[in-house]
Amino acid sequence: TGSFNSMAKGIGASMAAAFTVQAVVGAAKSILDFVGQLQDQADALGVNTEILQGFQGAMMGSGVSAEKFTKGMATLISSIQQAKQDTGTARDSFAALGIEFDSIANDSPDQILLKIADGLKNAKDPAAAYAAALDLVGKNQINFVAALKGGSAELQKSALQIKTLSAEEVAAIDEIGLAWDNAVLKAKAYAAQALLALAKPKGIVEE
């Protein structure tokens, strides 16, 4: 009985250690994936990773998921391009929010987002401004626009309260993630080669 109990404890400890390692590895991979996606999103949207994290976090309080925020920003960038080319309704929508063409042509997307927020806050015709903002960030982005109605100062204040990774930290973690993915690919390649070697019938000599 004593031997059995000792063996059971040993197996239990080994299993616990295995599950602990698996949990740690899983958590690390989740963080690497999150940061990698964050860097990709920032690059695609043309904004700083710290600004992206701050705005995302601030808008989550208004029911805007990270996915919704990214889609809204992507639509805004498309609207900016339309306004530059004077196609569609984008230029009129920017004008309804008091945003001049010079801003559209020269400001970054996050700066234009702040101006949309001020346009909503200071609008003489709130309904028209609301409709214009929806036209610029997506017709179904009701929560997104609602999160901007307090103006740029309120949005920036909320964003500053969000704990963020610095641009340097994001870049460093992103590099670790790339190295991790490369190591996993190499390990899979070695495992496949070993499997082929084991599966090869004995006695067959390659020419």
Side-chain angles (χ1 to χ4, degrees):
T1 303
S3 298
F4 179 80
N5 288 337
S6 297
M7 181 177 68
K9 288 179 181 179
I11 293 173
S14 298
M15 290 179 66
F19 281 121
T20 301
V21 171
Q22 185 177 2
V24 170
V25 171
K29 187 64 172 67
S30 177
I31 292 170
L32 293 174
D33 288 344
F34 164 75
V35 173
Q37 291 169 6
L38 180 66
Q39 184 67 65
D40 291 343
Q41 289 172 359
D43 291 342
L45 297 175
V47 300
N48 181 283
T49 53
E50 291 178 74
I51 292 174
L52 179 62
Q53 292 172 82
F55 283 0
Q56 276 187 353
M59 288 196 172
M60 279 184 180
S62 298
V64 182
S65 66
E67 181 182 4
K68 280 278 191 179
F69 175 79
T70 302
K71 286 183 178 179
M73 289 298 294
T75 303
L76 175 59
I77 290 171
S78 177
S79 297
I80 292 169
Q81 293 304 317
Q82 289 178 22
K84 288 179 180 179
Q85 298 165 8
D86 198 13
T87 59
T89 59
R91 189 176 289 191
D92 290 339
S93 294
F94 279 118
L97 290 161
I99 302 173
E100 298 178 354
F101 183 75
D102 284 347
S103 293
I104 300 169
N106 300 310
D107 290 347
S108 63
D110 55 284
Q111 291 173 324
I112 292 177
L113 184 68
L114 292 173
K115 290 186 177 180
I116 291 174
D118 284 335
L120 286 164
K121 181 181 180 181
N122 303 321
K124 294 181 180 179
D125 185 345
Y130 195 87
L134 284 175
D135 183 51
L136 295 173
V137 302
K139 298 296 186 183
N140 64 338
Q141 293 280 17
I142 296 173
N143 289 342
F144 190 112
V145 174
L148 300 175
K149 290 176 69 175
S152 63
E154 182 176 310
L155 179 60
Q156 287 178 306
K157 181 180 178 180
S158 297
L160 288 173
Q161 295 173 351
I162 303 299
K163 175 64 177 175
T164 63
L165 294 167
S166 68
E168 292 77 14
E169 289 171 331
V170 170
I173 295 172
D174 193 37
E175 285 187 15
I176 294 172
L178 291 173
W180 179 301
D181 290 340
N182 288 334
V184 169
L185 287 174
K186 286 182 180 179
K188 287 181 178 179
Y190 289 140
Q193 290 171 347
L195 182 62
L196 287 172
L198 288 172
K200 187 181 296 182
K202 295 181 179 180
I204 295 179
V205 179
E206 294 183 353
E207 296 182 357

